[in-house]
Amino acid sequence: MDLSYTNEQNLIRDSVQRFARDSYPFDARRRLGETSEGFSRGTWKTFAELGWLGVALPEAYGGSGGSAVDVMILMEAFGRALVVEPYFTAAVLGGTALLLGGSEAQKRSLLPRLAAGELLPTLAFAEPQSRFDLGDVQTTARQDGAGFVIDGAKSVVFHAVSADIVIVPARTSGERRDEHGISLFLVEGDAAGLTRRDYPTVDGHRASELKFENVRVGGDALLGARDAALPLIETVVDHGTSAVCAEAVGIMAALYEATLEHLKTREQFGQPIGRFQVLQHRMVDIFAMCEQARSMALMAALTVGGPDPTARRKAVSAAKNYIGRAGRFVSQQAVQLHGAMGMTDELIIGHYFKRLTMIDTLFGNADHHLERFGRL
Amino acid sequence: MDLTFNRDEQAFRGEVRRFVAERLPADVKHKVENGLRLEKDDYLRWQKALYEKGWAAPGWPVEHGGPGWTPVQGYIFEQECALGDAPAVMPFGLNMVGPVIIEFGSEAQKARFLPRILSSEDWWCQGYSEPGAGSDLASLKMSAVRAGDHYAVNGAKTWTTLAQYADMIFCLVRTSASGKKQEGISFLLIDMKSPGVTVRPIVTFDGGQEINEVFFEDVEVPAENLVGEEGKGWTYAKFLLGHERVGIAQVARSKRQVERLKKIAAAEFKDGRPLADDPNFRAKISTVEIDLLALEHMELRILSDETAGQAPGPESSLLKIRGTEIQQEITELLVEAVGYYAAPYQPAFLRDGANDEPVGPGYAPALAPTYFNWRKASIYGGSNEIQKNIIAKAVLGL
């Protein structure tokens, strides 16, 4: 057993931490919220140049042959900086789906472009009625000659406004919640019959409602096996979940540090408020949760890419459940201990709070993963 | 002992219920019911309706325009207003400075301010917290120096709720720097239109704008605006805090929110079935309902003591702690209930009057912002940590 980073991983960590500290000021992030895409294409290009977009892709497809641990290192720093670039959408969900589901031809044509920052995919994993059930798919894909015709709706598709390719689960057979009968399709972002309603999310990202009306795709748009995509979707989403767990760990660590600093410097009743025992113990609880959350994110990252699907599911759901609960406690207490200052839009605290709230929802909240863990 | 209201009280409840149903403007009701943002005029229209009925100030003595209700009637009134989705009364004039003026103010102050509070002609705000004085309120620094027939006031107040609407502000100011810090504090009424007063809005992280900083630069305040005696401001503030805690439990409002939560859970799906049928989620709703019952009956016991002539003691801090914790818990469950549709940020739908349909179900847009905004509840009015200190000291004798 060895839980220390390799030299390469230490290099990535240094470079991403430097980036987060020096090149991603909160004010600039705030201004990105005013733009239509909600993120900076220049920053995206930097991510590509630094090798981050392809960090977990094999070298044969333009990547650097890393693992989910490398993704974890990046996501943790992205969490601390509240990065709004679509890394988990495009690189993690898109990259994993293409890598694990793609034919050799699809991989050769798409993955190098993704790694180079020239192709931005997203995964439409939710429908208006589906909540967190990945197998609840009403969108249909009907065979039409060599191709397919897609009809239906997808909800809260992250960064669809910027997506060149939307990866769409659609039903090629079976009933609404059947596990069998779901297939994945690569749909061009500007395909005829695909309409979007774009909006910002409460945590400063971008998402869209998508409507598919007679959207025609070729036979080569099928990603992975027909009718049998659910296990692939689940694996991809587990990778996404592991990544956002790491993002949450970065946020919680930043909240922990800011709150600790506040307790040491804010004076009331003639002394730093950190001298009050009730706040000391609260701070220790925050510290303990941050440490355990970090441990859980590491466990998930080390397991998610492994060969055993049950082990993968258990590790990811355990991590997501713990981090959902810890994230709620840490964000609420960070605001509470900052007092009214913590309520302001000016401080970063509230923005961390909002992102942690949405990370809990993303890919299923703490309750969802508690139940999933219990079923395994 | 009897847990039910007597016949007169039940008749009174019917009367209030009918009044709310008839006189509460439909658009205001809609906003309150759906957690949308209220404008100044929304509060005022309801307050004027209450004023015309003679019900504007339930807690005031009859001679100053109070309705002469028993504590139980006051409780029923609060409850029915909340259940009927009336806006919460802005407390600053009617429940805070009003009672202080009645108890400690001069006859001239009573004659000048009370009628205008009663009729909502003046909107008041509360000048307590300062950048350096939050939980440790007594360390406040804003100074008022007596110069002939006026005070020269300098300093800043912060987190001032709805100061942007206010005509008047009541402030705790420092009139003396010597001796015990509590003894140098005075209670001053200041016209917001005085030269030298500036209001700077503070945006909260839910995107709302209800709090402000208020700056005072060489503001001249007539000496006749001092309430009671110089140096007694802390005593008046403590009297006021006792009033602030009454009604802070907000049981009836939380009950309405639980009803709303149940409706939403019935409309949402989980694994293809209504979320309301999910045992886990149902258990969460039931737990908050049971907590609410515990709070309600604690409040009723305090009310019963009050009816017997016993003023509410420091144990009413429990109402603030549990009331706000339950309110916050409900806002969390509402966010959980809608799943991904908590995510879209649609500020236009937080006010009424958006022409479009929102993304996702119509009940969703206000839920996440309300959860974010409601974190304030365990901070304002004396943080819940401070409330626990009060209980530990004043009730438990620790």
Side-chain angles (χ1 to χ4, degrees):
Chain A
M1 193 209 63
D2 180 7
L3 295 180
S4 56
Y5 293 134
T6 63
N7 285 339
E8 288 80 5
Q9 287 168 340
N10 275 322
L11 287 175
I12 293 178
R13 197 168 67 136
D14 290 348
S15 81
V16 73
Q17 286 181 349
R18 205 175 321 118
F19 165 83
R21 194 179 55 237
D22 302 338
S23 312
Y24 209 85
F26 180 50
D27 282 353
R29 189 250 192 205
R30 197 192 282 277
R31 284 194 297 276
L32 290 174
E34 314 289 319
T35 64
S36 64
E37 288 200 296
F39 72 96
S40 156
R41 287 279 176 175
T43 301
W44 194 243
K45 201 158 178 292
T46 305
F47 284 11
E49 285 160 7
L50 290 166
W52 295 347
L53 299 183
V55 74
L57 298 175
E59 288 171 19
Y61 305 119
S64 39
S67 69
V69 174
D70 300 83
V71 172
M72 180 192 80
I73 292 167
L74 290 171
M75 287 297 289
E76 190 186 324
F78 292 163
R80 178 179 289 268
L82 280 178
V83 163
V84 287
E85 278 63 26
Y87 188 85
F88 86 87
T89 318
V92 181
L93 295 176
T96 311
L98 295 172
L99 180 66
L100 300 183
S103 65
E104 194 54 30
Q106 285 170 328
K107 287 192 278 193
R108 288 213 176 275
S109 88
L110 299 174
L111 287 175
R113 289 169 58 207
L114 167 60
E118 293 157 8
L119 178 93
L120 217 147
T122 187
L123 175 69
F125 52 83
E127 294 194 353
Q129 81 293 342
S130 70
R131 199 173 173 85
F132 309 130
D133 182 358
L134 297 170
D136 188 339
V137 175
Q138 284 186 312
T139 299
T140 57
R142 167 170 59 80
Q143 179 98 43
D144 181 45
F148 295 87
V149 179
I150 301 174
D151 284 281
K154 296 289 175 183
S155 68
V156 197
V157 183
F158 288 97
H159 301 287
V161 61
S162 308
D164 304 296
I165 287 181
V166 184
I167 305 172
V168 181
R171 199 156 274 294
T172 35
S173 70
E175 299 296 316
R176 175 177 152 193
R177 297 185 63 242
D178 288 352
E179 291 187 8
H180 185 78
I182 300 168
S183 308
L184 275 181
F185 294 92
L186 304 175
V187 180
E188 303 278 337
D190 57 0
L194 169 56
T195 47
R196 285 196 329 262
R197 183 168 175 194
D198 304 325
Y199 48 84
T201 57
V202 291
D203 55 345
H205 286 248
R206 287 289 185 280
S208 309
E209 301 298 288
L210 301 186
K211 210 161 155 193
F212 298 79
E213 288 170 301
N214 276 314
V215 176
R216 291 177 183 277
V217 294
D220 58 352
L222 188 66
L223 183 76
R226 181 176 170 158
D227 284 338
L230 187 57
L232 171 62
I233 297 168
E234 209 193 331
T235 308
V236 170
V237 166
D238 277 345
H239 275 85
T241 308
S242 169
V244 296
C245 281
E247 185 185 354
V249 167
I251 295 174
M252 280 189 260
L255 283 174
Y256 158 76
E257 286 165 25
T259 307
L260 183 60
E261 180 63 19
H262 182 73
L263 291 195
K264 287 178 175 172
T265 51
R266 169 72 173 172
E267 295 202 2
Q268 291 283 273
F269 305 103
Q271 54 187 326
I273 59 173
R275 296 291 294 273
F276 295 106
Q277 196 173 38
V278 68
L279 302 191
Q280 289 174 354
H281 287 190
R282 193 94 48 88
M283 202 61 224
V284 172
D285 290 339
I286 291 172
F287 172 69
M289 286 205 183
C290 288
E291 287 302 312
Q292 289 171 92
R294 179 179 299 282
S295 312
M296 292 299 258
L298 180 63
M299 176 192 73
L302 286 168
T303 316
V304 72
D308 178 354
T310 305
R312 181 199 79 221
R313 293 185 184 112
K314 277 199 114 139
V316 168
S317 280
K320 188 65 163 51
N321 170 265
Y322 187 84
I323 283 165
R325 290 186 284 135
R328 180 174 298 197
F329 179 81
V330 171
S331 59
Q332 292 181 350
Q333 291 306 324
V335 170
Q336 182 73 19
L337 296 187
H338 274 83
M341 268 316 288
M343 288 300 302
T344 61
D345 182 70
E346 189 186 341
L347 247 63
I348 197 169
I349 304 298
H351 300 267
Y352 283 138
F353 185 108
K354 291 192 278 191
R355 182 62 187 152
L356 276 179
T357 304
M358 284 303 117
I359 287 178
D360 180 38
T361 301
L362 195 52
F363 308 128
N365 62 15
D367 285 355
H368 170 82
H369 284 281
L370 185 69
E371 287 170 24
R372 184 177 184 237
F373 183 87
R375 279 197 305 269
L376 291 165
Chain B
M1 280 201 205
D2 189 356
L3 201 52
T4 54
F5 293 127
N6 68 32
R7 189 187 300 224
D8 288 349
E9 288 161 348
Q10 286 179 30
F12 176 73
R13 182 165 65 183
E15 188 189 356
V16 179
R17 190 170 293 183
R18 277 191 304 281
F19 178 80
V20 176
E22 283 164 20
R23 294 297 306 276
L24 178 63
D27 58 321
V28 177
K29 178 181 165 66
H30 171 78
K31 284 186 184 181
V32 173
E33 196 175 357
N34 294 287
L36 307 181
R37 290 187 180 143
L38 294 164
E39 309 289 332
K40 180 177 188 177
D41 181 58
D42 297 328
Y43 291 108
L44 287 184
R45 278 185 289 155
W46 173 235
Q47 211 49 53
K48 296 238 162 93
L50 289 173
Y51 174 65
E52 284 164 19
K53 179 78 177 168
W55 289 357
W60 288 17
V62 176
E63 54 176 310
H64 295 299
W69 289 337
T70 63
V72 173
Q73 280 178 302
Y75 176 83
I76 290 172
F77 173 76
E78 287 277 321
Q79 208 181 24
E80 287 303 320
C81 286
L83 294 175
D85 298 317
V89 169
M90 276 297 116
F92 312 108
L94 287 162
N95 298 345
M96 293 181 172
V97 75
V100 169
I101 293 174
I102 289 170
E103 188 77 15
F104 306 106
S106 66
E107 288 311 312
Q109 286 168 344
K110 288 178 194 170
R112 182 171 154 210
F113 295 115
L114 294 180
R116 298 172 65 88
I117 293 173
L118 200 63
S119 64
S120 319
E121 225 167 313
D122 287 339
W123 185 295
W124 283 77
C125 62
Q126 180 187 31
Y128 271 31
S129 293
E130 296 181 7
S135 287
D136 183 9
L137 185 59
S139 67
L140 61 93
K141 289 204 170 68
M142 178 162 140
S143 78
V145 179
R146 182 75 185 248
D149 60 354
H150 72 270
Y151 287 93
V153 175
N154 280 284
K157 293 293 177 183
T158 193
W159 321 125
T160 315
T161 301
L162 299 181
Q164 69 265 40
Y165 297 158
D167 305 295
M168 295 290 298
I169 182 169
F170 58 95
C171 287
L172 292 181
V173 293
R174 184 155 299 286
T175 39
S176 162
S178 60
K180 231 181 128 199
K181 58 186 179 179
Q182 283 85 352
E183 286 162 11
I185 293 172
S186 301
F187 198 104
L188 204 55
L189 314 176
I190 303 176
D191 190 329
M192 290 292 281
K193 288 183 291 294
S194 314
V197 177
T198 4
V199 176
R200 189 185 77 94
I202 300 172
V203 177
T204 43
F205 74 81
D206 59 299
Q209 203 272 290
E210 53 185 15
I211 53 176
N212 303 271
E213 277 183 281
V214 187
F215 299 96
F216 300 83
E217 206 187 330
D218 296 324
V219 177
E220 278 192 22
V221 180
E224 67 204 37
N225 282 16
L226 175 79
V227 174
E229 294 171 48
E230 241 187 43
K232 289 278 171 64
W234 190 253
T235 312
Y236 310 151
K238 279 200 293 188
F239 165 86
L240 183 157
L241 270 179
H243 271 260
E244 192 182 2
R245 264 177 244 128
V246 175
I248 204 157
Q250 298 284 348
V251 170
R253 284 186 193 279
S254 289
K255 278 186 181 172
R256 281 293 286 150
Q257 292 303 309
V258 170
E259 281 175 32
R260 184 162 163 241
L261 172 63
K262 286 179 173 174
K263 265 192 212 157
I264 291 174
E268 288 289 320
F269 285 98
K270 180 176 177 244
D271 301 331
R273 299 209 325 273
L275 178 63
D277 293 348
D278 176 63
N280 189 12
F281 200 74
R282 210 164 45 193
K284 286 185 164 184
I285 298 178
S286 299
T287 303
V288 82
E289 270 192 288
I290 290 168
D291 286 350
L292 199 46
L293 280 172
L295 178 65
E296 180 180 12
H297 288 80
M298 181 160 69
E299 194 179 34
L300 287 173
R301 283 171 54 217
I302 291 174
L303 183 69
S304 168
D305 289 348
E306 212 183 322
T307 307
Q310 225 174 306
E315 60 273 17
S316 62
S317 281
L318 283 177
L319 298 178
K320 198 266 171 173
I321 296 171
R322 290 302 295 140
T324 53
E325 284 173 349
I326 289 169
Q327 291 154 28
Q328 290 177 332
E329 173 74 20
I330 297 169
T331 66
E332 286 174 40
L333 291 177
L334 282 163
V335 168
E336 279 183 40
V338 291
Y340 286 119
Y341 280 118
Y345 181 53
Q346 309 182 78
F349 293 94
L350 301 184
R351 300 176 295 269
D352 212 15
N355 296 322
D356 231 350
E357 283 292 305
V359 169
Y363 47 71
L367 300 181
T370 303
Y371 167 50
F372 303 149
N373 179 274
W374 221 251
R375 300 315 304 171
K376 70 187 177 187
S378 47
I379 299 170
Y380 65 38
S383 74
N384 286 9
E385 287 81 1
I386 291 294
Q387 304 293 343
K388 286 184 185 177
N389 283 349
I390 291 171
I391 295 170
K393 202 171 154 189
V395 183
L396 309 187
L398 290 171

